Amino acid sequence: MMHTRKQHERDTQQAIAEVQQIGARLARTIMETVRMTGDIADIDKGLEEAVADFRKLLVEGGLCDHDVDMSVDVLRRAIIAEGKLIAMQTHDVGRRVQ
């Protein structure tokens, strides 16, 4: 089946959106772990483990190197963005309670 350029762009945007959603869910999991353990180092550890697992999944799935790199970058950025949002919200809630 031949894909038009427009279809390829739609597919790419949909894939990016899905990876961003995965990243947001992973960030919430990572931040919950940090909240439970109290160990801020769990943020970096969780990020690196999530990225490594995601990369492995994509490589095993047969994605080309460029697509793997792009997907991993989108995932990493989504995790960081959601993590920052959670941290800011948590900080704001804590400040209001005090």
Side-chain angles (χ1 to χ4, degrees):
M1 177 176 158
M2 287 292 281
H3 278 65
T4 65
R5 180 177 177 89
K6 206 173 242 190
Q7 180 63 40
H8 179 71
E9 289 173 4
R10 277 194 302 266
D11 291 347
T12 300
Q13 290 303 314
Q14 181 179 355
I16 288 171
E18 290 174 12
V19 171
Q20 288 171 330
Q21 290 173 352
I22 292 168
R25 287 192 301 269
L26 288 169
R28 288 190 289 276
T29 301
I30 292 167
M31 296 303 282
E32 180 63 21
T33 300
V34 170
R35 188 189 67 76
M36 290 177 7
T37 65
D39 188 359
I40 201 81
D42 285 337
I43 292 174
D44 289 333
K45 180 182 174 191
L47 175 63
E48 294 310 316
E49 288 175 356
V51 167
D53 289 348
F54 190 65
R55 179 179 292 279
K56 181 180 176 187
L57 176 73
L58 297 178
V59 168
E60 289 175 355
L63 231 55
C64 72
D65 290 343
H66 178 265
D67 287 350
V68 168
D69 291 343
M70 294 299 293
S71 297
V72 166
D73 186 55
V74 169
L75 181 80
R76 180 183 298 276
R77 289 173 188 257
I79 290 172
I80 291 169
E82 185 71 13
K84 285 181 178 180
L85 179 65
I86 291 168
M88 288 189 324
Q89 290 173 344
T90 302
H91 179 70
D92 288 344
V93 168
R95 215 172 27 191
R96 280 184 291 208
V97 170
Q98 292 175 358

